């Protein structure tokens, strides 16, 4: 799209999302940076003869969106996987037919992944068995990844390929579902799915690294088209880090990518005694590829939901399953901090949130207020926990877009008569002073910031049911949660996230103003242009062309 050294965008509504929420009509970009904001006349006087001019036609300009919790290294391979998304597919027969149609065209022995499936969304309300998957994928190791990635369903060839049989014990942090005879059913929960995640991913990537890089870049460009200029991959394995290094070296990372490092497998137990893991986390940053952060999974989705404290007859009762006990996650967080590693800890239930807060309280005593401490998700949490998060300066990276897809599933985790618990208590968190960022968790849900912002405002499930509507946020809060707040959570607030002089020229041009459009109009908001470091990297066909000065 050309190399533009200087660009003046005028006749716009420039929402800076700075500390004062300043609004201007023009913005001047030069050398990949923002050099001035003001009126059209003021910036025309400051621009040079070489500047190109874009008349925005009163469209809205905002900072580039940042998705601080995404799984780009997983989603990159979606185009060559089987789309088993539910909804769209409504029955198990439809899911199996999609798998059969895909696999019949492939060479025998080639690994295949299925994506987007969740049993709660189909008529039968159950998972496929290994034997049903054998029938539709008889010649290929096949792994159907549940839409939340916390479980998967394998056929017999896939189980055999990774050595899972009746003699295999349940691993730390996971469960192998078995039939009455002790034979694995094909369903694997949490860390029990690690070997299948890795074998299928590595088969896709290592078959052709160049193609894998191309797929990664193509997915990143899909993100640019919805206005994302920065992404955080929320679990970078050893091999995924290799993919990112290759893409960065080939200059095929078109947006800023922060790595939240995991272990060798998706749900690996973190082990900071391993020098190779520590060295990977500390690997030098480049302009587009960032590191320095470790991901810890605190609680699990299966077999019985996240770590929760529920109330029964006035007494607290723990339910759900954690990966670590509170002392273990505390010690791991402190150890990481002493090694100069930033932290992002996944905590879905209120029990997990308490454990994360306890760990971060000790970390704050070690490093003071400057370190970025992140809590991911808080799907089922207490409004009463919000003041503590605020006092500790914890950044909450939440996923309101999942309320549309999984809000009623989360509600089933909460259960009945648990008035102290809320599904995604974002209003309560913001009112208490917590800095809240929005993120997609894609491919677990949509990656569209417009749809996710709408979901945070509307709080509506796809069935039409409302999901704790009193926890809705305003459009202005949603915009901040997709720009300056995730920039802070990603350690980049000094360089992006708001439109201020000296910051990177990462911005988007929208076809409507997200702060004045009615709620449903927010959902259908289009990105007409996306700029990264002052360069036009996406243009919707209906957007007006540049005009030379």
């Amino acid at each position: 799209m050309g190399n533009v050294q200087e660009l003046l965008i005028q006749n716009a509504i420039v929402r800076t999302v700075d500390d004062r929420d300043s609004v201007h009509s023009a913005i001047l970009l030069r050398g990949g940076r923002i050099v001035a904001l003001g009126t059209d006349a003021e910036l025309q006087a400051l621009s040079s003869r070489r500047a190109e001019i874009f008349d925005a036609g009163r469209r809205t300009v905002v900072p580039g969106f940042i998705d601080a919790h995404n799984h780009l290294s997983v989603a990159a391979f979606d185009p060559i996987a089987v789309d088993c998304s539910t909804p769209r597919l409504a029955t198990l027969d439809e899911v199996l037919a999609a798998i059969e149609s895909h696999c019949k065209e492939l060479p025998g022995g080639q690994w295949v992944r299925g994506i987007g499936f969740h049993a709660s969304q189909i008529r039968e309300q159950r998972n496929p068995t290994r034997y049903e998957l054998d029938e539709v994928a008889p010649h290929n190791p096949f792994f159907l990844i549940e839409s939340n990635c916390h479980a998967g369903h394998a056929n017999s060839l896939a189980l055999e390929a990774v050595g899972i049989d009746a003699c295999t014990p349940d691993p730390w942090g996971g469960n192998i579902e078995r039939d009455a005879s002790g034979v694995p059913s094909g369903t694997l929960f949490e860390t029990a799915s690690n070997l299948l995640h890795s074998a299928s991913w590595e088969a896709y990537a290592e078959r052709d690294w160049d193609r894998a890089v191309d797929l990664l870049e193509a997915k990143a460009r899909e993100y640019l088209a919805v206005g994302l200029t920065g992404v955080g991959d929320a679990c970078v394995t050893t091999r995924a880090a290799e993919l990112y290094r290759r893409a960065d070296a080939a200059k095929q990372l078109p947006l800023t990518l922060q790595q939240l490092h995991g272990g060798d497998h998706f749900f690996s137990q973190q082990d900071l005694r391993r020098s190779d893991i520590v060295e990977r986390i500390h690997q030098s940053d480049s302009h587009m590829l960032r590191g320095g952060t470790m991901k810890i999974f605190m609680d699990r989705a299966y077999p019985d939901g996240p770590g929760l404290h529920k109330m029964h007859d006035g007494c607290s009762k723990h339910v759900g399953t954690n990966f670590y006990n509170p002392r273990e996650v505390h010690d791991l967080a402190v150890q990481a901090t002493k090694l100069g590693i930033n932290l992002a800890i996944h905590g879905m239930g209120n029990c997990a949130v308490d454990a994360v807060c306890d760990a971060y309280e000790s970390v704050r005593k070690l490093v003071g207020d400057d370190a970025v401490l992140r809590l991911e998700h808080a799907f089922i949490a207490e409004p009463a926990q919000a003041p503590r998060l605020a006092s500790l300066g914890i950044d909450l990276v939440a996923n309101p877009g999942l309320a549309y897809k999984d809000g009623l599933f989360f509600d089933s985790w909460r259960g009945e008569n648990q008035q102290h618990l809320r599904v995604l208590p974002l209003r309560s968190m913001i009112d208490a002073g917590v800095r809240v960022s929005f993120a997609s968790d894609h491919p677990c849900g949509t990656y569209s910031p417009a749809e996710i912002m709408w979901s945070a405002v509307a709080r509506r499930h796809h069935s039409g049911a409302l999901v704790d509507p009193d926890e809705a946020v305003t459009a202005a809060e949603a915009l901040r949660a997709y720009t300056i707040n995730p920039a802070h959570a990603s350690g980049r607030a000094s360089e992006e996230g708001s439109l201020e002089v000296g910051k990177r020229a990462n911005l988007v041009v929208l076809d409507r103003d997200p702060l004045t459009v009615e709620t449903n109009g927010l959902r259908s908001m289009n990105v007409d242009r996306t700029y990264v470091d002052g360069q036009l990297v996406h243009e919707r066909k209906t957007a007006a062309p540049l005009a030379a000065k």
Side-chain angles (χ1 to χ4, degrees):
M1 292 188 179
N3 186 8
V4 177
Q5 288 302 306
E6 185 174 354
L7 173 66
L8 172 59
I9 300 175
Q10 61 183 20
N11 191 24
I13 301 168
V14 182
R15 295 199 175 276
T16 63
V17 199
D18 63 8
D19 290 341
R20 293 166 291 133
D21 284 325
S22 305
V23 181
H24 302 281
S25 65
I27 182 169
L28 181 62
L29 317 177
R30 185 182 297 141
R33 297 278 170 175
I34 299 167
V35 295
L37 298 112
T39 67
D40 291 5
E42 289 169 340
L43 268 57
Q44 284 173 1
L46 289 173
S47 63
S48 73
R49 287 177 172 271
R50 298 185 306 274
E52 294 193 28
I53 297 176
F54 175 58
D55 185 326
R58 298 302 294 164
R59 280 173 284 189
T60 301
V61 177
V62 300
F65 299 126
I66 300 171
D67 186 346
H69 187 117
N70 186 292
H71 295 282
L72 172 56
S73 59
V74 175
F77 296 110
D78 285 359
I80 56 174
V82 189
D83 184 1
C84 299
S85 296
T86 55
R88 187 178 68 81
L89 304 180
T91 69
L92 186 56
D93 282 345
E94 291 177 10
V95 172
L96 294 171
I99 297 167
E100 184 173 34
S101 176
H102 183 94
C103 290
K104 69 171 52 173
E105 304 298 327
L106 298 177
Q110 183 172 307
W111 272 90
V112 186
R113 296 181 114 179
I115 57 170
F117 172 81
H118 201 283
S120 69
Q121 307 284 357
I122 59 170
R123 184 180 63 200
E124 294 84 354
Q125 297 279 293
R126 70 171 179 86
N127 298 317
T129 69
R130 64 187 292 180
Y131 307 111
E132 288 170 317
L133 295 175
D134 289 346
E135 290 182 10
V136 295
H139 307 299
N140 300 91
F142 179 82
F143 183 50
L144 176 60
I145 302 173
E146 193 160 298
S147 60
N148 59 30
C149 295
H150 282 262
H153 316 288
N155 70 356
S156 296
L157 286 176
L159 293 172
E160 291 166 8
V162 299
I164 293 177
D165 59 24
C167 300
T168 305
D170 285 351
W172 170 91
N175 301 90
I176 301 170
E177 186 181 81
R178 305 169 195 271
D179 64 20
S181 302
V183 175
S185 69
T187 292
L188 306 158
F189 298 121
E190 309 291 349
T191 62
S193 66
N194 271 344
L195 296 178
L196 279 301
H197 274 290
S198 292
S200 57
W201 189 94
E202 290 167 10
Y204 280 170
E206 296 175 1
R207 189 183 312 145
D208 186 337
W209 279 110
D210 290 341
R211 184 190 187 205
V213 168
D214 288 344
L215 287 167
L216 186 76
E217 181 184 19
K219 176 58 72 170
R221 293 200 177 277
E222 289 181 23
Y223 291 172
L224 292 172
V226 296
L228 290 170
T229 60
V231 168
D233 188 324
C235 190
V236 177
T237 64
T238 300
R239 300 306 280 161
E242 172 67 18
L243 178 61
Y244 283 130
R245 285 193 296 271
R246 288 172 179 263
D248 190 41
K251 300 192 181 306
Q252 288 183 255
L253 270 183
L255 44 64
T256 309
L257 192 289
Q258 181 193 22
Q259 300 172 92
L260 279 59
H261 289 279
D264 292 329
H265 305 291
F266 197 83
F267 292 108
S268 285
Q269 184 176 16
Q270 289 288 18
D271 184 358
L272 289 172
R273 296 169 299 179
R274 283 184 53 180
S275 60
D276 62 318
I277 297 290
V278 175
E279 289 169 4
R280 166 155 62 86
I281 296 171
H282 281 316
Q283 190 164 26
S284 296
D285 291 342
S286 71
H287 185 62
M288 288 300 196
L289 184 60
R290 312 296 176 90
T293 300
M294 182 174 78
K295 168 74 173 292
I296 302 173
F297 286 96
M298 178 61 205
D299 58 349
R300 298 161 54 180
Y302 299 108
D304 51 357
L308 291 168
H309 291 310
K310 293 188 176 183
M311 298 300 296
H312 294 281
D313 300 322
C315 297
S316 178
K317 177 184 178 182
H318 178 269
V319 299
T321 306
N322 292 328
F323 284 103
Y324 301 93
N325 66 45
R327 171 52 62 181
E328 288 171 331
V329 81
H330 170 277
D331 291 350
L332 189 55
V334 169
Q335 183 186 8
T337 301
K338 289 179 177 178
L339 291 169
I341 295 171
N342 296 319
L343 292 161
I345 306 181
H346 154 120
M348 298 187 291
N350 65 327
C351 169
V353 171
D354 279 342
V356 173
C357 288
D358 289 344
Y360 281 162
E361 186 170 350
S362 293
V363 168
R364 281 283 180 233
K365 291 175 183 176
L366 280 176
V367 297
D369 295 333
D370 292 336
V372 176
L373 303 178
R374 291 175 45 162
L375 167 66
E376 315 295 299
H377 304 314
F379 291 140
I380 311 293
E382 301 176 45
Q385 293 174 308
R388 190 179 184 202
L389 267 73
S391 68
L392 289 170
I394 296 172
D395 281 83
L396 172 59
V397 180
N399 314 112
L402 297 184
Y404 179 76
K405 186 171 184 290
D406 295 321
L408 297 187
F409 182 61
F410 295 156
D411 188 58
S412 73
W413 279 347
R414 171 174 51 182
E416 296 181 357
N417 302 316
Q418 301 297 318
Q419 287 79 9
H420 65 301
L421 297 175
R422 300 283 178 85
V423 174
L424 289 161
L426 304 180
R427 172 82 275 139
S428 298
M429 293 289 175
I430 291 171
D431 287 347
V434 179
R435 186 168 40 230
V436 175
S437 300
F438 292 169
S440 68
D441 208 11
H442 183 69
C444 303
T446 178
Y447 57 81
S448 164
E451 289 193 40
I452 293 167
M453 291 166 67
W454 167 82
S455 189
V457 174
R459 302 285 300 202
R460 191 172 296 279
H461 185 259
H462 68 78
S463 67
L466 294 175
V467 181
D468 284 357
D470 54 339
E471 292 293 347
V473 307
T474 68
E477 289 164 339
L479 178 61
R480 187 163 286 270
Y482 244 117
T483 52
I484 189 60
N485 288 0
H488 185 279
S490 304
R492 302 198 300 276
S494 63
E495 62 176 294
E496 62 178 325
S498 60
L499 302 179
E500 299 181 78
V501 172
K503 286 193 171 184
R504 292 173 66 183
N506 293 349
L507 52 91
V508 296
V509 180
L510 303 172
D511 71 344
R512 66 200 72 182
D513 187 345
L515 271 58
T516 60
V517 72
E518 53 89 22
T519 298
N520 286 333
L522 182 63
R523 186 182 190 187
S524 55
M525 180 172 65
N526 292 303
V527 173
D528 283 345
R529 290 182 165 219
T530 303
Y531 292 88
V532 173
D533 293 324
Q535 300 303 311
L536 181 63
V537 292
H538 162 73
E539 183 174 16
R540 198 163 68 100
K541 290 183 179 179
T542 59
L546 283 173
K549 184 175 179 180

